[in-house]
Amino acid sequence: LLSMAGCLPHLVSLSLRQWSQLSSETLAESLPAFTRLRRLNLSLVPALDDHALEALASHCTQLQSLNANGTRVTDTGVGALARLPWLSELCLHNCENVAGDFLLRFCALPTTPKTGQLSIDALHSFPVEEANSRPSNSLQYLSLSHCSRVTDRLLQFLAPCSPLLRRLRLDNCTAVSDPGITALAKHCRLRELSVVGCPQVSSESLNMLEQHCTTLEALSLGRHKIREVHRQAFLAARPDVALCLCGKTWVHVPAQQEGYQVLPLQASNQVESNTQRGAPAAESEPEEASA
């Protein structure tokens, strides 16, 4: 990797996916040499740690997309990425050591006076209205699947600071419920939202998304508290949205005569070919590129 950095100083896209023989020291030493990088895939790279992310944030200032799925990074390292002015895609699916505290840096909240650290537990000391006056981040796609500490209050701070956010995955973020989804619906122009495995999400979330999130194109649900009658009402009110539920994707398609009819498709991963647009049924990742 070090020799590659010397030969390709203008490289803009790099994939090191599943490179198990790479050491954390080599990774941290090499990344500063790739100053032109815009897209980087480090998913399933055991060597990726907070030290490497700090080096990345300090030297790869043009980075726009980072895939760190399935790595051992923590909130401390990911929080350093908030310094990257052009970062628009951030994938953290199955990062077991990432709880969600790093998002406070993307909300530009100050550290707590006593500890000098950022913590979701300290959010009670900040009025939600303060988020409206915070600088905006550049995030367009964010995957927070399995981030256990992502809460409604955190989303209430994140949403006003993320006007460009279009795709969001909150799968198995079990603390997320209706107030968090309401904040996203009112402040973000989301196109895709996945809340599979969020058992506290109820019909109220569907109602808020129907009323306020007019840009929504795909919604994935599973293990929730939404009643069938409200799901049907949502489909009728929003025929422009593909709804993925329990492995099936439901969409409104024009009937041959008049009005609309609801048709179940075979599987959520086949929506693209059947409807020319799909619900986010599987973990979406930025397109992989190789050096």
Side-chain angles (χ1 to χ4, degrees):
L1 186 60
L2 285 170
S3 60
M4 181 189 300
C7 298
L8 301 169
H10 302 294
L11 192 69
V12 297
S13 184
L14 176 64
S15 176
L16 302 176
R17 189 175 189 271
Q18 289 185 310
W19 192 348
S20 59
Q21 297 180 346
L22 186 66
S23 70
S24 57
E25 293 78 12
T26 300
L27 184 60
E29 292 174 7
S30 304
L31 287 176
F34 294 103
T35 57
R36 302 290 184 88
L37 273 183
R38 289 177 172 80
R39 302 179 68 86
L40 179 60
N41 188 340
L42 295 172
S43 62
L44 303 175
V45 174
L48 183 61
D49 56 13
D50 291 347
H51 182 51
L53 289 186
E54 287 283 354
L56 188 68
S58 299
H59 301 279
C60 302
T61 56
Q62 298 184 41
L63 194 69
Q64 299 174 10
S65 174
L66 175 64
N67 187 333
N69 291 344
T71 58
R72 57 192 178 99
V73 297
T74 73
D75 287 277
T76 300
V78 180
L81 301 177
R83 304 200 303 263
L84 297 174
W86 307 110
L87 186 65
S88 61
E89 296 182 351
L90 181 57
C91 306
L92 299 169
H93 179 72
N94 269 346
C95 291
E96 297 180 354
N97 298 320
V98 175
D101 296 85
F102 78 92
L103 286 172
L104 298 179
R105 294 195 179 276
F106 284 85
C107 299
L109 290 175
T111 57
T112 55
K114 292 184 178 180
T115 65
Q117 301 294 322
L118 288 166
S119 171
I120 292 176
D121 297 330
L123 281 181
H124 67 275
S125 62
F126 297 98
V128 174
E129 294 75 13
E130 186 172 332
N132 296 320
S133 61
R134 293 292 169 183
S136 299
N137 59 61
S138 57
L139 292 175
Q140 297 181 32
Y141 171 60
L142 180 61
S143 173
L144 299 174
S145 300
H146 301 278
C147 290
S148 59
R149 282 167 55 81
V150 174
T151 63
D152 290 332
R153 191 159 181 82
L154 179 58
L155 294 179
Q156 288 171 339
F157 277 90
L158 180 66
C161 300
S162 307
L164 301 179
L165 192 61
R166 298 295 180 263
R167 301 164 61 204
L168 177 63
R169 297 188 64 89
L170 296 171
D171 300 338
N172 295 298
C173 294
T174 55
V176 171
S177 64
D178 296 331
I181 303 301
T182 296
L184 293 169
K186 290 183 176 181
H187 293 283
C188 300
R189 297 176 59 83
L190 290 174
R191 293 177 181 171
E192 297 180 9
L193 175 63
S194 182
V195 286
V196 176
C198 298
Q200 300 186 64
V201 171
S202 75
S203 301
E204 178 63 21
S205 290
L206 272 189
N207 185 40
M208 291 294 103
L209 290 169
E210 173 192 330
Q211 294 182 38
H212 300 287
C213 197
T214 58
T215 56
L216 192 65
E217 299 175 357
L219 175 63
S220 291
L221 301 169
R223 301 190 300 278
H224 49 74
K225 296 195 298 184
I226 299 174
R227 298 176 58 187
E228 171 68 14
V229 62
H230 295 140
R231 179 175 67 85
Q232 293 291 349
F234 177 83
L235 284 169
R238 292 295 302 273
D240 55 320
V241 178
L243 181 61
C244 180
L245 180 68
C246 298
K248 298 285 187 178
T249 298
W250 297 72
V251 295
H252 266 79
V253 297
Q256 293 182 354
Q257 302 298 324
E258 60 182 12
Y260 292 93
Q261 58 183 356
V262 179
L263 296 178
L265 300 182
Q266 293 182 0
S268 57
N269 59 4
Q270 296 177 344
V271 179
E272 188 68 28
S273 60
N274 286 292
T275 68
Q276 302 304 312
R277 58 182 176 84
E283 175 64 19
S284 301
E285 300 181 354
E287 181 181 357
E288 292 185 9
S290 300

